[in-house]
Amino acid sequence: MPPAARIGTVIVGALQLAFLAAAQRDISRRPAEQIRGSKAVWRMVTLINFIGPGSYFAFGRKRLPQPTRK
């Protein structure tokens, strides 16, 4: 493998792991009432490369009501 491809692979792998860790941490800290569906299912879904954590952040978290400004 050429050096540039090796470096790119390492960078993409590191980004994947960071995205996975962020999703897993959010699932751990967020109350079950603020997650659509089961926490266990979302934990399994996040193990699917970039698609899993992206799906969790896009669809798995419930939106909290925004405070109104006066």
Side-chain angles (χ1 to χ4, degrees):
M1 183 181 285
R6 197 174 313 150
I7 291 170
T9 302
V10 169
I11 290 172
V12 170
L15 289 173
Q16 166 59 33
L17 288 175
F19 207 24
L20 171 64
Q24 291 288 335
R25 186 173 184 175
D26 189 78
I27 292 169
S28 294
R29 292 181 170 198
R30 190 173 294 270
E33 300 83 37
Q34 294 179 9
I35 295 178
R36 290 186 178 100
S38 167
K39 281 188 167 192
V41 171
W42 279 113
R43 284 193 182 280
M44 297 300 284
V45 169
T46 59
L47 297 175
I48 304 170
N49 289 338
F50 285 102
I51 295 169
S55 297
Y56 169 70
F57 285 121
F59 307 112
R61 301 186 310 167
K62 292 182 181 176
R63 302 285 186 247
L64 298 177
Q66 297 296 322
T68 56
R69 295 185 184 191
K70 293 183 180 184

